[in-house]
Amino acid sequence: LFRSATAALLPAKPARAVADRPDQLFRWDGGGPYFGGFSGLELSTDRSRALFLSDRGFVVRARLIRDQAGAITEIEKIEHFDLHGTEGAVLQGWRGDAEGLDQRPDGTLHIAFEAARGRIYHYADERGPATALPRAQSWRRLPGNQSLEALALDEAGAVYTIPEAELDGTFPLYRLQQNWEVLALIPRRGDFVPVGLDFGPDGNLYLLERRFRFAFFASRISRLRPGNWARPETLAETAMGTLDNHEGISITQDESGQLWATTVSDDNQSRLQRTEIAEYRLPD
């Protein structure tokens, strides 16, 4: 088991419309080939377990140990497993560039891959072969390293994704029911680009965005309301260098009814970066 490292309850923030840092921050120290590169995240409804998706083509299942205040104090690895392609072979190299994750209540997985201008796989068995979902024709125009990073499913099972790169000046929000449709065009706001999506228990869609310059990163979390998709409401935005490279997001609700956004950073399996789990209290 690799366990973890440093928990921090950050100083109380002054009341403000947009949070400028997380309420809680935990640094997870691990090692070996099955640690790091975490680009996707899914928490259990009771917030005690998590799936961490690595862009190296594997998933780590872990237990989140929390104190009485709900802050993460330790992470215990339960297991890991490799992802497989449609023919059943383990995904290796660029084929394993997994970026977006959603787990359904029945345990099945949907995973977005960035390479080859975007593809989404469904896993009825997390350790078995994948079933490829259809691809939108417009994905052919996406750069190979800026395609699908953000993925979420709604309660009805419809699949949503946003590419990291703009198409014709905006970020299209795609939804797959019978076929892919562009549900909305999300405007570019500054230098941030989409890297994560998750539906909350409140039925709203939450968008994680990232910007970077040189070796520094900033994060932004916004709420997209059904029927008003193209008008994101900014809930949190960190300054450059406050956090590492956060790419995965999961929205949960604690026993008191408080909504939380939990994000994880991709350390690129580099000693120069960190694996962080940040948690933000979200306004109603």
Side-chain angles (χ1 to χ4, degrees):
L1 296 180
F2 48 76
R3 301 199 177 202
S4 69
T6 308
L9 277 175
L10 300 184
K13 300 191 300 284
R16 57 191 305 163
V18 179
D20 60 1
R21 59 188 183 272
D23 294 270
Q24 300 168 3
L25 184 64
F26 180 84
R27 179 174 173 178
W28 188 13
D29 290 336
Y34 287 98
F35 181 85
F38 297 129
S39 299
L41 176 65
E42 184 80 16
L43 266 61
S44 60
T45 54
D46 66 1
R47 310 182 73 238
S48 69
R49 293 199 177 197
L51 291 180
F52 295 91
L53 174 71
S54 175
D55 58 17
R56 268 56 174 178
F58 63 86
V59 176
V60 169
R61 178 173 280 112
R63 183 178 294 109
L64 306 181
I65 310 300
R66 297 179 180 273
D67 63 18
Q68 291 186 343
I72 297 171
T73 59
E74 188 175 358
I75 297 181
E76 295 181 349
K77 178 183 175 181
I78 298 172
E79 60 180 346
H80 67 259
F81 55 90
D82 290 307
L83 296 172
H84 296 74
T86 55
E87 302 300 321
V90 172
L91 295 171
Q92 297 181 339
W94 63 268
R95 295 182 181 276
D97 187 9
E99 299 284 350
L101 170 68
D102 192 287
Q103 184 181 42
R104 307 311 296 147
D106 63 3
T108 61
L109 302 179
H110 286 77
I111 294 178
F113 294 84
E114 188 169 44
R117 290 174 173 78
R119 65 195 195 281
I120 298 174
Y121 285 173
H122 170 241
Y123 291 88
D125 175 358
E126 63 187 25
R127 300 172 190 266
T131 300
L133 274 59
R135 300 168 73 180
Q137 288 190 348
S138 54
W139 295 353
R140 298 176 183 176
R141 298 165 51 204
L142 294 170
N145 64 341
Q146 288 183 292
S147 60
L148 305 183
E149 289 217 9
L151 176 73
L153 274 70
D154 65 17
E155 285 190 354
V159 182
Y160 294 69
T161 188
I162 302 177
E164 183 182 359
E166 294 172 279
L167 285 175
D168 303 320
T170 60
F171 299 102
L173 172 62
Y174 292 91
R175 179 173 63 185
L176 176 64
Q177 292 178 309
Q178 297 299 319
N179 299 291
W180 286 106
E181 61 176 327
V182 175
L183 196 60
L185 299 174
I186 310 299
R188 186 180 185 100
R189 296 176 295 151
D191 295 330
F192 285 90
V193 296
V195 291
L197 278 178
D198 195 33
F199 275 96
D202 58 354
N204 293 313
L205 183 60
Y206 291 82
L207 171 65
L208 173 65
E209 296 171 286
R210 171 197 62 198
R211 65 186 287 247
F212 68 91
R213 184 177 182 185
F214 304 116
F216 299 99
F217 301 89
S219 297
R220 182 167 68 194
I221 298 172
S222 301
R223 177 188 286 133
L224 307 179
R225 296 181 184 271
N228 204 16
W229 301 109
R231 298 188 65 182
E233 306 165 20
T234 301
L235 306 178
E237 184 174 324
T238 67
M240 194 70 77
T242 302
L243 299 175
D244 208 282
N245 178 32
H246 285 246
E247 293 192 5
I249 185 169
S250 183
I251 307 299
T252 54
Q253 193 170 38
D254 65 20
E255 293 180 351
S256 72
Q258 173 65 55
L259 281 174
W260 289 89
T262 304
T263 65
V264 65
S265 66
D266 175 4
D267 68 352
N268 291 298
Q269 292 189 329
S270 168
R271 293 181 180 180
L272 301 178
Q273 292 184 254
R274 304 177 302 277
T275 296
E276 299 172 336
I277 291 87
E279 297 201 293
Y280 303 79
R281 288 184 179 89
L282 297 179
D284 294 334

